[in-house]
Amino acid sequence: MNEIHLHNTLTNRLEPLSPLHPGEVRIYTCGPTVYAFAHIGNFRTFVFQDILRRFLRYRGYRVLQVMNVTDVDDRIIQNAAAAGIGIRDYTEKYIQAFLEDTDALHIELPEELVRATDHIEDMVTLIERLQKKSLTYTSDGSIYFRISQFPAYGKLSKIDVAGMQAGARVDVDQYEKDDARDFALWKAPKPGEHFWDTRIGPGRPGWHIECSAMAMKYLGDTLDIHTGGVDLAFPHHENEIAQSEAATGHPFVRLWLHAEHLILEGQKMSKSLGNFYTLRDLFAKGHKPSTIRYLLLSVPYRRQLNFTEDGLTQARNSVERLRNFTARLKSAQFAEGSNPEIQARIEKAEADFDAGLADDINTAIALAAIFDLVRDVNTAMDRGTFRQQDAPRAVAAMEKFDGILALLADDDEEKLRKLGFGTSKPGLSVSQIETMIEERQAAKKRRDFKRSDEIRQQLADSGILLEDTKDGAIRWKRK
Ligand code: AMP
Ligand code: ZN
């Protein structure tokens, strides 16, 4: 088996994964800011993180992943105040929506999903450590980190620290995303604003301190992996490094992994630009959870993902192909025995799949390994060289792949119904469709064309189209 290599933003190189605690990989993931529904750009990054953790577990590692929920920031405070409710009440709806969305996409929950507002004490303690080391200053009740005191500042994003304005300050969360100056660790309350009364004064935490405090609380001073979208590398992650390493004196993160953006018509999909689709927008247009999961995972995480209708159609067909193939393996009858060439072919696919993911989670290579296998095995089945004992071996391989891809469960209708979408009449499952097709074939064989037409019509009524192929096999697809 190939060693797992991951691209480290810090060194700009592929590096082998060698966890600090043998057998266990500790990961911190910047989670959603819960002032609105997450969009599919956000889910691009979350699906990548899901593939990463599933692959590590497939390789036998224990995974300890922490994801934060940013449930306090300027927008949350403003929106909650405008709605006349507390910030916990305001964010609850979006946290629930996030959990429902991740469930629909088969994204596994991290071992710890933690809210910023439950960790104010940890943040205060971390700020006190920085104060003791004289790395902070206070101005108008807000506490800032003095980046000139941290010589390694800029090492992640390679920004030019010398060009930054010394002593200039930033204290607005949204603004902080593009600014490179002393950043707020703690913000004094504005009149009428929600605040916490703490040892370091009244106020609320800055965005960056959240992640440092929660990451180190659950994972220790040094983490194996920290993930997020590329937009977070600077200044958010740069600031996390500064706060954490200045406080502990230890390296904060060994491998920094950043997912490239999902792009819509040439622009990054983002809430602030307004060019976004939530998952629910796409469900309302009739797209399925598995289609979206496939589309999001199909492009390797360090490449931009261009979101198009065409891409959705291809993704839907690809999922269908995987499901049809697995159903055919489970239900069709083949000649007795086993074919060593098929067994070897399956082993090669497994090795290629694994090697693709070990190479910086290259999902395109992993998927190509599966689709090449599907093509070759389908051909063998059509030619009669596939044997009955090869079927369980091939099913086992598909299930192994699916431990990471999570696309085979035919549960789209169920997931959609849970969210209030979809038809009141459940759609036919893949195995029901396969059974009806077999029954139709049997009817045709005994020349009962009335029955075979009836079945074709029943399938058509449920949105299933049949296609007779040259070699006599039947393919089907959903309308
Ligand atoms: P936010 O809720 O804005 O804090 O973002 C949650 C995660 O989604 C972060 O890791 C972001 O970097 C990531 N993200 C935001 N926009 C996009 C996008 N268009 N494509 C991929 N990831 C994104
Ligand atoms: Zn973060």
Side-chain angles (χ1 to χ4, degrees), residues 333-395:
Q333 295 297 312
F334 309 100
E336 273 309 309
S338 73
N339 177 348
E341 277 177 31
I342 297 286
Q343 303 278 331
R345 181 65 194 80
I346 294 169
E347 272 164 37
K348 180 181 180 319
E350 286 176 340
D352 291 349
F353 175 83
D354 181 85
L357 292 177
D359 181 12
D360 200 23
I361 316 297
N362 193 326
T363 46
I365 291 182
L367 286 173
I370 302 176
F371 283 106
D372 287 352
L373 178 73
V374 171
R375 186 198 56 221
D376 291 353
V377 170
N378 268 328
T379 308
M381 287 176 180
D382 295 345
R383 288 191 183 144
T385 55
F386 190 85
R387 296 281 181 268
Q388 194 60 47
Q389 265 74 62
D390 299 330
R393 178 71 186 84
V395 169

Side-chain angles (χ1 to χ4, degrees), residues 5-152:
H5 282 80
L6 299 167
H7 179 270
N8 188 358
T9 311
L10 196 61
T11 57
N12 200 18
R13 276 202 309 264
L14 278 182
E15 290 179 18
L17 172 73
S18 76
L20 206 53
H21 304 82
E24 178 171 279
V25 184
R26 300 190 177 185
I27 309 175
Y28 185 84
T29 295
C30 291
T33 308
V34 283
Y35 73 99
F37 291 99
H39 57 65
I40 55 161
N42 302 132
F43 284 112
R44 197 267 157 125
T45 296
F46 296 133
V47 166
F48 151 62
Q49 289 150 356
D50 183 57
I51 299 288
L52 171 70
R53 57 170 282 133
R54 285 170 180 266
F55 179 56
L56 295 175
R57 286 230 316 274
Y58 167 98
R59 277 298 192 94
Y61 287 109
R62 283 190 309 280
V63 170
L64 178 54
Q65 184 189 12
V66 176
M67 183 193 277
N68 69 307
V69 172
T70 299
D71 62 349
V72 52
D73 85 341
D74 289 332
R75 291 158 297 192
I76 290 170
I77 290 175
Q78 281 158 19
N79 295 0
I85 51 177
I87 58 173
R88 291 287 282 215
D89 288 337
Y90 176 75
T91 55
E92 191 55 38
K93 170 178 163 199
Y94 297 112
I95 293 175
Q96 286 315 316
F98 178 72
L99 294 175
E100 288 164 2
D101 287 356
T102 50
D103 174 64
L105 288 181
H106 283 274
I107 295 173
E108 290 182 343
L109 283 184
E111 284 60 34
E112 299 283 350
L113 183 68
V114 289
R115 293 187 190 199
T117 56
D118 286 334
H119 294 78
I120 303 293
E121 171 61 26
D122 301 290
M123 299 174 208
V124 167
T125 306
L126 183 56
I127 294 170
E128 284 176 329
R129 283 174 82 178
L130 295 169
Q131 285 179 322
K132 282 200 192 94
K133 295 191 169 189
S134 309
L135 296 165
T136 68
Y137 59 91
T138 303
S139 171
D140 296 334
S142 293
I143 304 171
Y144 294 87
F145 184 92
R146 204 186 285 281
I147 61 171
S148 58
Q149 299 283 92
F150 185 72

Side-chain angles (χ1 to χ4, degrees), residues 446-457:
R446 59 173 195 270
R447 309 190 63 78
D448 181 355
F449 297 112
K450 183 168 165 276
R451 179 69 189 135
S452 78
D453 284 348
E454 214 172 73
I455 295 171
R456 176 184 275 274
Q457 192 53 49

